[in-house]
Amino acid sequence: MTVVSSAIALLLTALQLPALALLLARLLKGARRLPALTPQPPTVDLVGQVSVVVPTLNEAARIQPCLDGLTRQTYEVREVIVVDSRSTDGTGDRVKAQQQTDPRFRLMTDDPLPADWVGRPWALHNGFLASSVRSRWILGVDADTRPQPALVASLVQMADTKGYDLVSLAPQFILKGAAEWWLQPALLVTLLYRFGAAGADADNPERVMANGQCFLVRRSLLEQLDGYHCARQSFCDDVTLAREAARQGAKVGFWDGAKLLQVRMYDGVADLWEGWGRSLDLKDAATSAQKWGDLAFLLAVQGIPLLALVTFGCLLVAGIQTPVLWLAFGVNSLLVAMRFAFLAAILSAYDRQSRQGFWAYWLSPVADPVAVFRIFLSSIRTPKQWRGRVYGQSMDPSPADTR
């Protein structure tokens, strides 16, 4: 028993120590990251500089806060193009009602989905093509977001000042119920462990992170990229496009936007499990080696530590005490302590006005093995449907696609 447990502890420690060193290197970069974006008043030179594109498909139940938030943006927004993919739930009616009080809104229906495109990048591509050539910036905004006043002006000013060509924002999440507070932070940490904190630039294009919920791109860069064409088959089109832009020499940023952007992404833990897990592995934007390498890394620093800590602790209490077991216990104790400490560091990423079930947030490290398992499931599966569309192996929409 002693020999077997020591051999397992030695093997695990040999895998975890390099992963721990990599994790520390990524997290320490956060000390040099840009601070959270703060509200800034618009300036005259921003007049009409931004075209906003909002892709929609059956979003009537949650789009109103997004429409209201965009209406509160000032003269920097030239137009808001809502690209609707033939919704059947009254989404278009909500947009038409918004037009009555804000003429900047424009509702359009995108063309039928081509065989080799995913719905979201196709809608964004059509919105870009329909936008005014006088706008220097194209801002993609998802229907489930809640833009705060001065979001667009602050984002464009910072991008101009810092010389960025493409910037996306990490939002503040709105969660409801203990199950969401328990699972979602564990899923979010898988991204932070792999790509570091928002505001810290990536070392190379292959480690670029992005969030399509608020995605600002210079028109000239989108023209250079032929719109969203490079991300046409990607279920994580935001990361795919951002990495391609970085490879072509564009300056790409991913910033903390929690003070200016909120989002209520999913209703309930089942929706959260399905929606977040759909593309959390980012396989559409990475090589197979990167995908499996990241999964192994997460297993070592997030999926295993709590289980290993309990296991090795029990062995030590049972009297099986060897230097290797103590080393493994120490390494996993450090990883678990870091994980719990991380909860305080990311607290600003969550809206706490509604504290129903918030207590479960502090237990979210217990969900880490579940979160890593969800990424494994995503890694071995190709999405077959999303937002009512059903896709085949060749990305052809099936006959069930009503788009």
Side-chain angles (χ1 to χ4, degrees), residues 132-151:
S132 171
V133 294
R134 292 176 292 176
S135 296
R136 287 196 304 122
W137 295 93
I138 304 297
L139 176 63
V141 174
D142 277 3
D144 56 6
T145 61
R146 303 181 182 187
Q148 303 302 300
L151 166 66

Side-chain angles (χ1 to χ4, degrees), residues 383-392 395-402:
K384 300 299 183 184
Q385 65 178 48
W386 185 245
R387 295 291 185 197
R389 304 182 181 96
V390 180
Y391 298 95
M395 297 303 299
D396 292 335
S398 79
D401 190 348
T402 59

Side-chain angles (χ1 to χ4, degrees), residues 15-146:
L15 294 173
Q16 285 183 309
L17 284 176
L20 173 59
L22 179 58
L23 175 62
L24 290 172
R26 288 173 177 168
L27 297 182
L28 288 174
K29 285 182 61 180
R32 305 190 304 273
R33 69 190 183 105
L34 291 173
L37 197 66
T38 56
Q40 300 295 325
T43 53
V44 176
D45 61 305
L46 294 181
V47 174
Q49 294 295 300
V50 183
S51 289
V52 179
V53 178
V54 184
T56 62
L57 175 57
N58 294 329
E59 301 283 4
R62 59 180 182 173
I63 196 175
Q64 196 60 52
C66 177
L67 301 178
D68 293 340
L70 291 174
T71 289
R72 288 194 292 267
Q73 307 306 308
T74 54
Y75 50 72
E76 69 280 356
V77 175
R78 176 185 299 277
E79 59 189 350
V80 179
I81 305 171
V82 180
V83 184
D84 189 60
S85 301
R86 297 176 176 83
S87 295
T88 58
D89 67 343
T91 297
D93 294 334
R94 288 190 174 273
V95 179
K96 291 174 183 177
Q98 201 78 15
Q99 285 178 306
Q100 302 303 310
T101 58
D102 190 342
R104 294 176 298 176
F105 279 84
R106 175 152 57 102
L107 177 65
M108 64 171 285
T109 301
D110 51 359
D111 293 332
L113 186 66
D116 59 343
W117 281 76
V118 171
R120 186 176 183 278
W122 176 245
L124 290 166
H125 184 74
N126 278 268
F128 160 61
L129 295 178
S131 65
S132 171
V133 294
R134 292 176 292 176
S135 296
R136 287 196 304 122
W137 295 93
I138 304 297
L139 176 63
V141 174
D142 277 3
D144 56 6
T145 61
R146 303 181 182 187

